[in-house]
Amino acid sequence: MVPASNPDVEVSDRRLLIRYGLIAAILSLLVLSLVAMALWQERQRYRERTSVATQNIARLLDQQTSAVFDKIDFALQSSQFFYASMLEDGGLDPDRLNRHLARQEELLPEVLSFRIADRQGMVRYGHGVDATALIDLSDRQYFIQARDQSGSGLFIQGPLLARISKQWAIVLARRLNSADGSFAGVVYVNLPCRYFEKVLSLASLGPSGAATIRSADLALIHRFPDTKNAVGSRNVSRQLSDVIAAKPEGGEYIAVTKLDGIERSNAYRRLGNYPFYVIVGLATSDYLDGWRQYAASVQGIAFVTLLIIWLAMFWLYRAQRDLNHDILQRIQIGKELEEANATLEQKVEARTAELSRANQELERLARRDALTRLSNRLAADEHLHEEFLRMKRTGSTYVLLLIDIDHFKAVNDLHGHEQGDVVLRQVARALNDSCRVTDFVARFGGEEFLAILPNTAGEAAWRVAEKMREAVSRLVLPEI
């Protein structure tokens, strides 16, 4: 055995310790990655189940709420027909009309009132109407719409504060016509916002869940479990505004609710025939409670697994260390030689790469005009020689254009060489942009340029040359 005090042995022991430590670290990382993946997948499953649950609840609330509106609208249409029948029978009978409205109100225990306002907007008929103190509804939006639109459709407004009952309500109304078809008033129902407590409470949403009904413009109608005296408020999260703008018919989002500051996974759904949204949210803290218990058990198992890994690696390290002490010196010498050789090879490769890059750059610069960025005379001579050889092999023709800038010396003399360089660059760009893809343009020297037009003869070459001349003639040089 090599003495433990030998420096090489100590180095070998440290490396061996690091090696097994790295193995233990990699295995630990693998275990932690698997744990993280399992926890993430399980969290996603919880979110997916929550998504399905909120969508199903939203669909149920949509059906329940729409059914209430359908029933009310049917009663309004019935009263609309009853009103028209009375006119056909010879005129309105107030007592008979009030009895009809009372019967309709009895059949609809959900509503606050079932009334009729005349063409001036005065509430004339229905339970609770005081003939000595008539209420004027002519400024209500639903009344204005019914008055100005000749159709017999349903008009909805709300939430608004009812003027007789002083309660927040949704108003559903239909137009009434006189015998001649002119506007005679509206038959309307006040549906109290608090009624939706009964509908929304049907949903099982956990300790911190919430269900909400809002109008099409996101005004709060009712919220379960607590509206927080915010009826009519349009203070919603940015996520809800954005997702409804993108998907107005329905969708999902995760956000912190403005009313109570609780993060929820929400599903929203627009009622099929009515301008309202139902929004159902399950609190993240509620639906992830089971996931947290699962995560705690998985983390406990992971901790035990990591402890076993590190103990096993430490035992293997000690066994390997005892085995390697006799040969560690020779291994160390071999490693040092290999490291020195690898370092030398890296330096040689790096130097060779630097020389290669330098040669490539010199080769490129040798064939490129620094001022105009066109090919220079050396590149032009090479290209011309290649075209000549191609002509000899294949018989193809080419045309050589020599281009000179007139009065260029005067530009340098009058405006200076810097402006002369600007002229050269502009002309070079114009020539290069106006030639064909297969053509070759180079700066031949001074203000002279050369163009090689392969597979070209006669008229075609003339057209290319004329195009180049016109491109140069169109140049605008403000300083000259």
Side-chain angles (χ1 to χ4, degrees):
M1 295 286 291
V2 178
S5 60
N6 190 310
D8 292 336
V9 173
E10 294 177 358
V11 170
S12 178
D13 288 348
R14 285 196 298 271
R15 290 180 177 175
L16 188 63
L17 180 61
I18 292 172
R19 184 185 307 164
Y20 278 100
L22 287 175
I23 293 174
I26 291 172
L27 291 175
S28 300
L29 183 61
L30 178 60
V31 170
L32 293 175
S33 299
L34 292 174
V35 168
M37 182 179 296
L39 293 179
W40 181 82
Q41 290 177 342
E42 188 64 17
R43 187 185 180 97
Q44 289 302 109
R45 282 192 287 270
Y46 270 85
R47 285 198 180 276
E48 289 169 2
R49 288 194 288 268
T50 300
S51 173
V52 172
T54 54
Q55 290 183 43
N56 288 338
I57 295 171
R59 187 179 298 108
L60 173 63
L61 295 180
D62 176 5
Q63 294 170 355
Q64 294 287 335
T65 307
S66 295
V68 173
F69 287 138
D70 288 342
K71 184 168 66 169
I72 293 173
D73 189 33
F74 179 78
L76 289 172
Q77 293 181 62
S78 174
S79 299
Q80 197 178 35
F81 177 76
F82 183 81
Y83 186 90
S85 299
M86 289 184 67
L87 293 179
E88 292 176 359
D89 293 341
L92 293 178
D93 181 345
D95 292 336
R96 185 182 173 197
L97 185 56
N98 277 322
R99 286 196 300 273
H100 169 79
L101 295 175
R103 284 197 301 272
Q104 296 298 322
E105 190 170 330
E106 289 175 0
L107 294 173
L108 295 171
E110 303 92 348
V111 304
L112 281 173
S113 58
F114 202 117
R115 300 188 177 109
I116 290 179
D118 63 16
R119 69 182 65 200
Q120 283 79 34
M122 297 299 178
V123 180
R124 296 285 183 182
Y125 307 104
H127 178 70
V129 174
D130 186 355
T132 63
L134 296 179
I135 300 298
D136 185 3
L137 303 180
S138 61
D139 60 332
R140 294 295 201 190
Q141 188 64 33
Y142 65 87
F143 181 86
I144 296 172
Q145 290 175 338
R147 181 193 64 197
D148 297 342
Q149 299 177 24
S150 59
S152 59
L154 179 67
F155 301 96
I156 300 176
Q157 184 182 356
L160 50 77
L161 193 63
R163 288 175 177 166
I164 296 178
S165 66
K166 306 302 181 183
Q167 296 187 41
W168 285 99
I170 301 294
V171 178
L172 294 88
R174 281 187 173 271
R175 174 186 171 116
L176 296 176
N177 291 326
S178 301
D180 60 359
S182 62
F183 178 66
V186 295
V187 55
Y188 71 96
V189 165
N190 282 324
L191 178 63
C193 293
R194 57 179 169 75
Y195 165 74
F196 294 102
E197 178 84 9
K198 177 181 179 182
V199 176
L200 299 181
S201 62
L202 295 174
S204 177
L205 302 175
S208 302
T212 306
I213 294 182
R214 290 184 179 270
S215 63
D217 61 355
L218 299 183
L220 178 64
I221 295 170
H222 195 76
R223 181 178 182 270
F224 178 81
D226 186 5
T227 303
K228 295 183 179 292
N229 297 319
V231 175
S233 169
R234 294 176 176 81
N235 185 21
V236 299
S237 66
R238 179 182 55 81
Q239 292 89 336
L240 176 57
S241 299
D242 293 346
V243 75
I244 285 183
K247 296 181 178 180
E249 297 306 316
E252 301 174 77
Y253 68 99
I254 297 175
V256 175
T257 304
K258 286 289 187 74
L259 287 177
D260 54 20
I262 297 176
E263 183 185 77
R264 293 182 176 90
S265 178
N266 302 278
Y268 67 95
R269 185 181 180 90
R270 185 185 175 101
L271 272 60
N273 298 317
Y274 304 99
F276 300 101
Y277 284 101
V278 291
I279 305 169
V280 176
L282 293 177
T284 303
S285 59
D286 291 343
Y287 73 79
L288 288 184
D289 189 52
W291 174 82
R292 292 189 184 93
Q293 296 178 12
Y294 169 81
S297 62
V298 170
Q299 290 168 356
I301 294 173
F303 175 78
V304 173
T305 304
L306 293 176
L307 182 62
I308 292 173
I309 288 174
W310 283 95
L311 290 175
M313 288 300 104
F314 181 72
W315 181 84
L316 289 173
Y317 154 73
R318 295 189 62 179
Q320 188 69 40
R321 181 195 61 184
D322 293 342
L323 180 65
N324 289 345
H325 276 181
D326 289 337
I327 59 175
L328 186 60
Q329 288 181 335
R330 285 174 292 175
I331 292 176
Q332 182 64 29
I333 292 173
K335 286 183 178 181
E336 290 175 355
L337 292 175
E338 290 175 359
E339 290 173 358
N341 185 49
T343 302
L344 180 60
E345 289 179 354
Q346 290 175 357
K347 290 182 178 179
V348 171
E349 289 177 358
R351 185 58 179 167
T352 302
E354 290 177 3
L355 291 174
S356 177
R357 287 193 295 270
N359 287 334
Q360 290 174 1
E361 182 64 16
L362 289 173
E363 185 74 15
R364 186 184 68 81
L365 293 175
R367 287 166 173 76
R368 181 69 60 183
D369 180 61
L371 176 63
T372 64
R373 311 308 297 169
L374 295 176
S375 299
N376 60 15
R377 183 164 185 166
L378 174 61
D381 290 341
E382 293 175 347
H383 200 86
L384 185 60
H385 182 65
E386 291 175 0
E387 287 297 331
F388 177 74
L389 294 178
R390 185 181 295 110
M391 181 188 70
K392 292 183 65 177
R393 289 196 311 271
T394 65
S396 62
T397 61
Y398 67 91
V399 171
L400 180 67
L401 301 179
L402 289 175
I403 304 163
D404 183 76
I405 303 175
D406 292 339
H407 310 299
F408 182 71
K409 185 175 183 303
V411 173
N412 280 335
D413 293 341
L414 292 175
H415 302 283
H417 288 279
E418 289 185 1
Q419 290 300 321
D421 291 345
V422 172
V423 171
L424 287 173
R425 285 193 290 268
Q426 296 283 358
V427 171
R429 186 180 297 108
L431 293 174
N432 194 52
D433 292 345
S434 59
C435 68
R436 301 169 303 182
V437 176
T438 57
D439 298 337
F440 174 83
V441 179
R443 185 184 179 191
F444 204 60
E447 69 272 23
E448 296 177 345
F449 296 87
L450 176 143
I452 301 174
L453 314 181
N455 299 317
T456 307
E459 185 65 25
W462 174 260
R463 287 195 298 270
V464 174
E466 182 62 17
K467 184 178 179 182
M468 290 181 174
R469 186 195 68 76
E470 290 177 353
V472 173
S473 70
R474 288 193 299 268
L475 289 176
V476 177
L477 302 168
E479 301 297 328
I480 299 176

